[in-house]
Amino acid sequence: MHHSQRFENKVVIVTGAAQGIGRSVALAVAREGGQVVLADRSELVNDVAAEISELKTGNREKAIVANVDLETYAGARELVEASINAFGRVDILINNVGGTIWAKPYQEYEEAQIEAEIRRSLFPTLWCCRAALPGMIAQRCGVIVNISSIATRGINRIPYSAAKGGVNALTASLAFEHAQDGIRVNAVATGGTEAPPRKIPRNSDKQTKE
Ligand SMILES: NC(=O)c1ccc[n+]([C@@H]2O[C@H](COP(=O)([O-])OP(=O)(O)OC[C@H]3O[C@@H](n4cnc5c(N)ncnc54)[C@H](O)[C@@H]3O)[C@@H](O)[C@H]2O)c1
């Protein structure tokens, strides 16, 4: 099958690349000629790297793995350093880590659960943007795509909704702040996706539907 080569000579970080949307995005970028940095805290991300190495594409070194926890700034810095060490730069950052951990009416959330939702669905995007920005400013170009959600107008996931509302706000504000540096920042508000059952669950008690 012929694919266009929209990502030829582009270095693309995809976070949360071990499964779901991140995995599919990473495979699509690799098929279209991009060099991909696959970021995930799960070791299953290595399977995606293996899948990419088997693709018949023109790009020499197609993918590397960064096994990092993006709820920490240290993890985000390590990720950007891995990309620079392997490929020299970051052209495109796709912030995909996130997802509702518990869906229920707000009055039933515990304090620790509210904090966990914000750490999962807001901080990884904040940290990765912060870590990637200096390099993009220096090269005077860059693209950031944040994966948001229709949940900012939905019920039964208020902490997640707040986190994604934060993602939407930082997307617009960062775009204004760094347009002059040649950096574009956009968000995609996805709805439900069709995907196989998650190998890496959202939480340890039970699976909830996105
Ligand atoms: N699936 C949907 O229907 C849907 C709908 C709207 C929005 N979204 C958004 O799309 C994005 C992806 O959703 P999905 O359903 O594919 O996710 P998923 O839960 O299936 O996969 C998330 C991946 O991120 C990784 N991850 C989680 N926390 C991490 C951390 N701290 N550091 C590094 N890696 C980490 C996990 O290991 C996993 O591989 C999320 O931001 C989610 O909010 C999804």
Side-chain angles (χ1 to χ4, degrees):
M1 203 203 308
H2 176 76
H3 294 97
S4 70
Q5 294 290 298
R6 287 181 297 176
F7 296 100
E8 205 171 353
N9 299 320
K10 298 292 183 201
V11 178
V12 185
I13 290 179
V14 182
T15 76
Q19 68 180 10
I21 294 173
R23 173 180 166 276
S24 296
V25 166
L27 285 165
V29 167
R31 278 193 210 99
E32 296 200 29
Q35 291 171 308
V36 197
V37 182
L38 302 159
D40 209 288
R41 68 180 170 189
S42 165
E43 299 281 344
L44 289 175
V45 71
N46 292 305
D47 297 351
V48 180
E51 269 183 272
I52 289 177
S53 71
E54 277 156 26
L55 296 174
K56 290 187 176 49
T57 60
N59 38 344
R60 293 152 296 150
E61 210 181 338
K62 286 169 285 216
I64 63 157
V65 163
N67 209 210
V68 289
D69 180 0
L70 296 174
E71 290 187 12
T72 71
Y73 184 46
R77 280 203 325 252
E78 193 182 323
L79 167 59
V80 169
E81 275 166 29
S83 181
I84 291 169
N85 289 341
F87 301 125
R89 63 190 189 281
V90 180
D91 293 310
I92 302 170
L93 166 64
I94 301 176
N95 286 308
N96 169 71
V97 165
T100 306
I101 310 173
W102 300 279
K104 55 187 174 180
Y106 189 45
Q107 69 275 15
E108 293 173 17
Y109 279 86
E110 291 159 20
E111 181 182 3
Q113 293 178 328
I114 295 169
E115 286 192 354
E117 297 277 2
I118 301 296
R119 276 200 306 275
R120 172 79 57 94
S121 292
L122 177 58
F123 274 100
T125 296
L126 276 174
W127 296 143
C128 289
C129 288
R130 173 64 184 85
L133 208 50
M136 289 183 173
I137 293 168
Q139 72 204 15
R140 301 207 59 76
C141 66
V143 173
I144 298 175
V145 179
N146 297 325
I147 308 303
S148 185
S149 171
I150 56 168
T152 55
R153 294 292 184 277
I155 62 167
N156 288 335
R157 51 200 74 215
I158 297 304
Y160 172 75
S161 170
K164 291 298 193 183
V167 166
N168 291 351
L170 80 87
T171 299
S173 296
L174 200 60
F176 289 132
E177 191 174 291
H178 292 285
Q180 62 192 12
D181 298 308
I183 300 168
R184 286 189 283 121
V185 191
N186 286 284
V188 181
T190 33
T193 53
E194 274 186 34
R198 290 192 173 90
K199 294 181 194 159
I200 307 152
R202 291 283 180 79
N203 63 49
S204 51
D205 13 291
K206 64 172 173 50
Q207 301 247 8
T208 57
K209 277 193 141 296
E210 177 71 14

